[in-house]
Amino acid sequence: MPDGSWRQTSLPQQDYPMPDPISSTKQERPYILLVAEESALRRSLQLTLRARGYDVRAFASCAHALADPTVLQATCLITDHHMAEMSGVDLLRALRAAGWHRPAILLTTQRAAYFQQQQQALFADILQKPILEHRLCTCVDHATKEC
């Protein structure tokens, strides 16, 4: 007999791809690789981009993202700057070393001009937190049109 109590379970660190919406035409959607440790940020960005028609693979760590066999097929990378095991800059450098040369967007809390000048050479755009939805969508739309 249930006593009315419930048990909370922890969710895995990888967000799983959401099923594709049913459509009458099959078009290939741009594949976005999203890497951010903060689960609320990662999920929010994933839902926003999915609603815009992007195919989003979201990961909580750089190691999980790099282990994904489809990582080099990504149209665009969106990565947080500060993460525990590896920075977003190091993740981009690892992808570049593996032969991936598509646009990348960096998410950061850094507001210093010298930081942006230093990182602008690597990234197509740098977004400061908190992330504005319209700004994110504009950056991703622009980055995916470059490919």
Side-chain angles (χ1 to χ4, degrees):
M1 177 179 247
D3 63 359
S5 64
W6 58 278
R7 191 174 52 155
Q8 185 176 5
T9 59
S10 60
L11 297 174
Q13 287 295 315
Q14 176 186 356
D15 292 329
Y16 295 97
M18 296 170 49
D20 290 334
I22 299 172
S23 67
S24 59
T25 60
K26 275 291 197 187
Q27 296 178 343
E28 187 158 332
R29 301 178 311 158
Y31 163 24
I32 307 299
L33 175 63
L34 171 63
V35 184
E37 282 182 332
E38 296 173 52
S39 61
L41 173 66
R42 185 175 61 251
R43 190 66 178 152
S44 173
L45 296 178
Q46 183 179 30
L47 290 172
T48 298
L49 293 169
R50 296 269 317 164
R52 289 286 287 224
Y54 291 103
D55 180 15
V56 182
R57 298 282 311 232
F59 297 92
S61 75
C62 297
H64 287 118
L66 290 170
D68 187 310
T70 66
V71 71
L72 296 179
Q73 297 169 12
T75 306
C76 179
L77 166 69
I78 301 173
T79 182
D80 205 350
H81 181 256
H82 290 289
M83 294 181 277
E85 68 188 52
M86 176 186 249
S87 74
V89 174
D90 292 334
L91 171 61
L92 179 59
R93 288 183 176 138
L95 289 171
R96 297 278 191 248
W100 187 82
H101 297 287
R102 302 247 174 121
I105 299 169
L106 183 68
L107 310 176
T108 185
T109 57
Q110 300 282 337
R111 296 187 184 272
Y114 71 89
F115 173 80
Q116 288 197 346
Q117 290 172 351
Q118 180 184 26
Q119 301 308 325
Q120 199 67 44
L122 292 172
F123 291 90
D125 216 327
I126 298 173
L127 296 177
Q128 295 179 349
K129 295 179 186 176
I131 306 299
L132 300 175
E133 183 177 313
H134 72 276
R135 177 81 171 110
L136 170 71
C137 292
T138 299
C139 291
V140 174
D141 289 347
H142 179 70
T144 56
K145 284 184 174 90
E146 291 179 6
C147 296

